[in-house]
Amino acid sequence: MSEHALFPTLAVVLAAGQGTRMRSSLPKVLHQVGNRPLLGHVLAATAVAGIEQLAVVVGPDTPAVAEYVQQVAPAAQQFIQQQRLGTAHAVLAARPALLRHEQGCVLVLFGDSPLIGAQTLQRLRQTLIDGVAVAVAGFTTAQPGPYGRLLTEGGRLLAIREAKDASAEELAINLCNGGVMGFRADHCLWLLERIGNGNAQGEFYLTDAVELANAAGLPVVAVAVAEEEILGVNDREQLHAAEQIFQRRRRQQAMQAGVTLAAADTVYFSADTELGVDVRVEPCVVFGPGVQVEQGACIAAFSHLQHVRITAQPAC
């Protein structure tokens, strides 16, 4: 029997945030990068990573989010966070799923982080399979600024210190909290239920699980990931930044797969764009949703395509 069969994984995706800084009537997680909602990118990553079970926590006032999840991930369990009282409180909204998931791994993801990769999820899961009780995604940055700092010693993660609570020495640390966390299922609920709200905001913070786990003698580690993977989108500027990273990645993937981009920076992809080998794309092309281009086809400059299949054609 494989390791993954012995350690099935439940991903709990938090998608209940109001997103007031987006200044929009559209729920934050439904704003798009690469013509796919932010939440859709996270759900797609869980599918590619082979995560067996999925729970999505939505808000009480965002029926469009629930409808979208039902459309793209009908097997996902949905739970409503009736009050927004912090990240740990949000995860506990999925308590029925956590109670049923008695063994294996639990990954806590955020619906507004569209750049998370399947390989990162697999690494977090493997860390838990290897015996760690709590794993936290961390990234190194030259400008740690407002990020929470990861306090480590001898390969062990001791605590997550919020910037506003950090000492001068701790503020000099450039290993920061990426938010995404993993738990061994047999410790997850036990830790979550012991998180209190004795802080200035009166909220239940998921990050408090680190110190609770350490106090109980459980192994806790940080797993290094690329900073861009855990980029959260909270406003339009961050949405723009995520779009630029997505397009850069997608252009690189296309060229590495045998596609010629005559002026790569002027070509814009959708998340579901499919291009065969030896496709040539001339400058200033926009691939809208639902485009498939067969091997050897040429896409002429200034084309804007959507919901179409392009067969091989003579050279442009």
Side-chain angles (χ1 to χ4, degrees):
M1 186 176 292
S2 71
E3 279 185 326
H4 291 167
L6 292 170
F7 292 91
T9 302
L10 166 68
V12 179
V13 182
L14 306 186
Q18 292 176 298
T20 54
R21 283 189 279 166
M22 297 297 289
R23 299 289 191 269
S24 174
S25 60
L26 184 70
K28 177 174 68 170
V29 296
L30 296 186
H31 284 264
Q32 297 190 347
V33 163
N35 291 311
R36 172 182 284 169
L38 305 178
L39 178 58
H41 286 274
V42 181
L43 299 179
T46 65
V48 175
I51 290 174
E52 297 88 350
Q53 299 175 50
L54 189 60
V56 182
V57 178
V58 302
D61 47 4
T62 54
V65 176
E67 291 169 9
Y68 176 73
V69 173
Q70 179 60 34
Q71 175 188 346
V72 302
Q77 306 166 75
Q78 292 196 47
F79 302 93
I80 298 175
Q81 184 187 17
Q82 294 290 351
Q83 294 178 285
R84 295 176 172 93
L85 299 178
T87 46
H89 180 263
V91 179
L92 282 172
R95 185 190 298 271
L98 296 170
L99 284 169
R100 288 190 291 268
H101 194 73
E102 297 179 346
Q103 67 173 23
C105 310
V106 177
L107 299 183
V108 179
L109 312 176
F110 294 86
D112 61 0
S113 298
L115 302 173
I116 191 77
Q119 288 187 341
T120 291
L121 302 185
Q122 290 167 339
R123 287 178 58 220
L124 282 165
R125 174 171 58 186
Q126 190 61 51
T127 301
L128 298 166
I129 290 173
D130 291 342
V132 167
V134 180
V136 177
F139 64 96
T140 301
T141 177
Q143 297 180 316
Y147 294 112
R149 307 305 202 268
L150 300 187
L151 310 185
T152 61
E153 182 178 283
R156 186 183 185 97
L157 176 60
L158 302 179
I160 301 175
R161 188 79 73 237
E162 295 303 320
K164 64 180 180 297
D165 299 323
S167 66
E169 183 180 5
E170 290 168 343
L171 286 173
I173 296 171
N174 62 1
L175 180 62
C176 299
N177 178 29
V180 175
M181 295 180 66
F183 298 85
R184 283 285 288 254
D186 49 352
H187 300 303
C188 186
L189 260 178
W190 185 88
L191 288 168
L192 291 174
E193 289 174 342
R194 282 159 177 75
I195 292 174
N197 65 340
N199 52 66
Q201 301 299 320
E203 294 188 353
F204 299 86
Y205 293 132
L206 187 63
T207 51
D208 288 351
V210 170
E211 292 191 68
L212 286 168
N214 274 294
L218 299 172
V220 185
V221 301
V223 176
V225 304
E227 182 176 357
E228 66 181 33
E229 286 228 9
I230 44 75
L231 173 68
V233 173
N234 295 298
D235 56 36
R236 304 286 181 152
E237 288 184 87
Q238 291 173 339
L239 183 68
H240 176 263
E243 181 73 43
Q244 300 314 302
I245 295 170
F246 168 82
Q247 293 299 337
R248 172 176 53 78
R249 285 181 175 182
R250 194 64 182 80
R251 291 162 186 153
Q252 290 174 339
Q253 291 169 0
M255 291 186 284
Q256 290 169 0
V259 173
T260 295
L261 303 180
D265 289 349
T266 70
V267 177
Y268 289 82
F269 290 94
S270 289
D272 64 352
T273 304
E274 297 181 22
L275 304 180
V277 298
D278 290 325
V279 166
R280 175 180 171 82
V281 182
E282 293 201 324
C284 302
V285 171
V286 175
F287 292 103
V291 177
Q292 295 177 298
V293 183
E294 293 185 358
Q295 177 177 345
C298 182
I299 307 301
F302 299 100
S303 295
H304 187 154
L305 309 170
Q306 59 184 30
H307 302 298
V308 65
R309 183 183 183 91
I310 307 294
T311 57
Q313 307 167 34
C316 293

